[in-house]
Amino acid sequence: MDLTPPRGTQDFLPPAGDQLKVLYDAASNLAELHGFRYVETPDIEHTELFAATSGQTSDIVSKEMYTFKDRSGRSLTLRPEGTAPVMRAYLAHRPDLPSPFKAYYLTRMFRYGRPQRGRYREHRQFGIEVVGVEEPGADVEVISVGDRFLRGQGLSRYRVEINSIGDGECRPAYRELLVSYLEEHAGELRDEHRDRFRDNPLRVLDCKDEACRRVSAGAPTMIDHLCGPCRQHFDGVLAGLKREGIDPVVAPTMVRGLDYYTRTAFEFVSEVLSEAQATLFGGGRYDGLAEALGGPHVPGVGYGLGLERVLIAMEDEGLEPPAVRALDAFVVGFGHAGRATATNLARSLRDAGISAASAYGDRPLKAQFRMADRAGARFGVVVGEREAAAGTVTVRRMSDGSEEEMPMSELATRLRPEGRAR
């Protein structure tokens, strides 16, 4: 049997799994600091949820979804993105939820594509959504939370790019203008867009092919054709970001790949990753999403941030990986009385909030210290026949081998890392 995971997926074993857990905790703490509440939606959804909201011409629907039929013939899809499921759940439970509804999630997304560094078929995502708010202040908070998360991991070599893609009032006229321009330059587009640009002309602006980029450089921009309310909203977002100390770069050709986005679109772009990986994450406003699901008009704004790409960016910026919490103590017991005491001592340390482990059976002293070393323990706590009788322990600092004898009653206080309360 092949023991490697399926192509485009990864195993996260220590220390990588520990590092990922640190990012989960940092994301949770930051989101909750801003008043966001944790939500979970199913890994599988009815396929129509994404077909109705993402758009039939989007890459997600046309190329990337893992879709299958269950034994009853129902079409189901592994979740490729988090916003539509959160909105579906919000609409289903709307009377019982606060307004505005501020949600965050830490979950897996699934998209079929060619695996490469920083782009996987299964990836882990930290997402936040603010549902029920029209004002630009919600956009500002979402972007600033993303900025604080990256900076909290030590990242600094990135920029925030932002654009407004209008709404149902001003986008139709711009779309006609863009189609007219693209028709004049259709022969210069890559094959895919040459044949299909009329279905979704905005996708041409997001194409990374050099030929399409040359065409996009001369195309009319949405930001120059915003209606009054969209312009006012965009100016409010820019002013709010300035107050937060964020100086974004206006990117007139930026669009989002899903049909439900309106007005604000943004991306955090790394200056150290390759072009294919440079977008750390993106998001925007989706004021038409609830209506696409058959609900009332409910505005929203959010983002989805791939955690694997954050780890890659940290590596490429030369940063240390996220610091994981080490095992505080490995209790080494030998002799009948020592082993019995070691089991009780490990339990009392855990009760005091000190992480502790010990051998499951009778092991030689050297073997137990090897176990302590492999477990990454800060200290080895030795209990033999003599220590058990005297009510003492010998504590070995694993980093340098230095030892100290102390009363068992003082052990928890002496081992507790500075700043960690009981």
Side-chain angles (χ1 to χ4, degrees):
M1 178 178 178
D2 184 2
L3 298 180
T4 59
R7 188 166 185 251
T9 67
Q10 303 178 85
D11 293 319
F12 281 89
L13 302 175
D18 296 326
Q19 294 162 6
L20 195 62
K21 176 62 164 51
V22 171
L23 293 187
Y24 287 158
D25 292 342
S28 295
N29 293 337
L30 180 62
E32 291 170 7
L33 187 67
H34 286 77
F36 290 83
R37 304 283 296 277
Y38 180 71
V39 301
E40 286 191 9
T41 60
D43 284 347
I44 56 173
E45 294 275 1
H46 296 295
T47 302
E48 62 183 334
L49 173 67
F50 304 110
T53 58
S54 299
Q56 293 291 343
T57 62
S58 68
D59 283 347
I60 287 181
V61 174
S62 63
K63 301 178 182 179
E64 298 175 348
M65 294 201 313
Y66 280 95
T67 297
F68 60 95
K69 288 189 176 181
D70 66 11
R71 294 185 179 183
S72 297
R74 291 167 294 211
S75 182
L76 301 174
T77 295
L78 290 175
R79 178 182 49 228
E81 58 93 11
T83 301
V86 169
M87 181 61 81
R88 175 199 57 73
Y90 170 80
L91 293 175
H93 300 276
R94 188 181 179 196
D96 303 320
L97 297 173
S99 183
F101 179 55
K102 298 175 65 174
Y104 81 95
Y105 47 88
L106 290 157
T107 193
R108 290 172 172 82
M109 304 295 174
F110 305 88
R111 293 193 188 185
Y112 186 85
R114 185 173 64 87
Q116 54 187 294
R117 185 172 185 253
R119 190 181 299 274
Y120 307 100
R121 291 175 176 175
E122 176 195 51
H123 71 277
R124 290 134 187 92
Q125 197 171 97
F126 165 41
I128 67 172
E129 314 289 351
V130 179
V131 178
V133 181
E134 299 267 9
E135 287 78 13
D139 309 45
V140 173
E141 181 176 46
V142 164
I143 295 171
S144 64
V145 169
D147 183 67
R148 289 188 66 177
F149 179 77
L150 295 184
R151 295 198 180 279
Q153 313 320 308
L155 293 170
S156 60
R157 298 175 63 184
Y158 64 87
R159 64 185 180 275
V160 181
E161 296 187 353
I162 193 169
N163 192 24
S164 177
I165 54 177
D167 62 11
E169 292 298 319
C170 52
R171 197 187 298 170
Y174 168 72
R175 186 184 186 281
E176 291 184 10
L177 189 65
L178 180 59
V179 168
S180 296
Y181 171 83
L182 294 177
E183 285 177 341
E184 297 174 3
H185 297 270
E188 303 169 42
L189 298 174
R190 60 177 295 181
D191 294 342
E192 176 185 357
H193 293 304
R194 185 184 304 133
D195 299 331
R196 300 175 58 187
F197 71 84
R198 294 174 185 82
D199 296 331
N200 193 340
L202 292 178
R203 287 189 62 209
V204 177
L205 304 181
D206 195 41
C207 179
K208 300 300 186 288
D209 183 83
E210 282 301 320
C212 290
R213 283 188 169 189
R214 287 192 292 270
V215 173
S216 297
T221 61
M222 183 72 245
I223 201 169
D224 291 328
H225 295 83
L226 296 176
C227 60
C230 284
R231 168 56 65 181
Q232 184 178 7
H233 185 276
F234 189 57
D235 289 344
V237 173
L238 294 179
L241 291 176
K242 183 177 181 180
R243 290 192 294 271
E244 292 290 328
I246 300 173
D247 185 20
V249 176
V250 177
T253 61
M254 181 197 299
V255 296
R256 304 304 301 157
L258 304 177
D259 284 358
Y260 55 66
Y261 279 104
T262 60
R263 294 189 172 178
T264 307
F266 63 87
E267 290 182 351
F268 282 68
V269 181
S270 171
E271 296 171 352
V272 297
L273 298 181
S274 67
E275 183 175 353
Q277 306 161 353
T279 301
L280 293 172
F281 71 98
R285 179 163 282 278
Y286 45 85
D287 292 351
L289 177 56
E291 290 165 287
L293 293 174
H297 175 72
V298 180
V301 60
Y303 68 66
L305 183 159
L307 294 174
E308 292 94 336
R309 195 163 292 188
V310 172
L311 290 173
I312 291 172
M314 293 176 66
E315 178 184 345
D316 285 10
E317 281 200 27
L319 302 172
E320 291 293 324
V324 303
R325 175 179 172 177
L327 179 68
D328 293 323
F330 192 98
V331 184
V332 176
F334 62 96
H336 179 74
R339 288 195 300 273
T341 303
T343 300
N344 294 332
L345 186 57
R347 184 186 306 112
S348 67
L349 287 174
R350 295 170 192 141
D351 290 343
I354 306 297
S355 59
S358 60
Y360 290 113
D362 188 9
R363 296 286 189 276
L365 190 63
K366 288 185 177 180
Q368 292 188 62
F369 271 113
R370 285 195 297 270
M371 294 170 67
D373 187 57
R374 290 173 181 173
R378 297 168 53 235
F379 296 98
V381 178
V382 181
V383 185
E385 299 285 352
R386 180 182 64 80
E387 287 89 356
T392 63
V393 293
T394 299
V395 178
R396 176 184 295 185
R397 187 184 301 275
M398 298 300 294
S399 61
D400 59 17
S402 62
E403 293 186 347
E404 177 184 2
E405 188 168 351
M406 66 183 67
M408 288 184 190
S409 59
E410 297 180 8
L411 182 62
T413 301
R414 299 284 292 274
L415 293 191
R416 181 175 291 114
E418 185 177 351
R420 186 191 301 168
R422 176 173 177 173

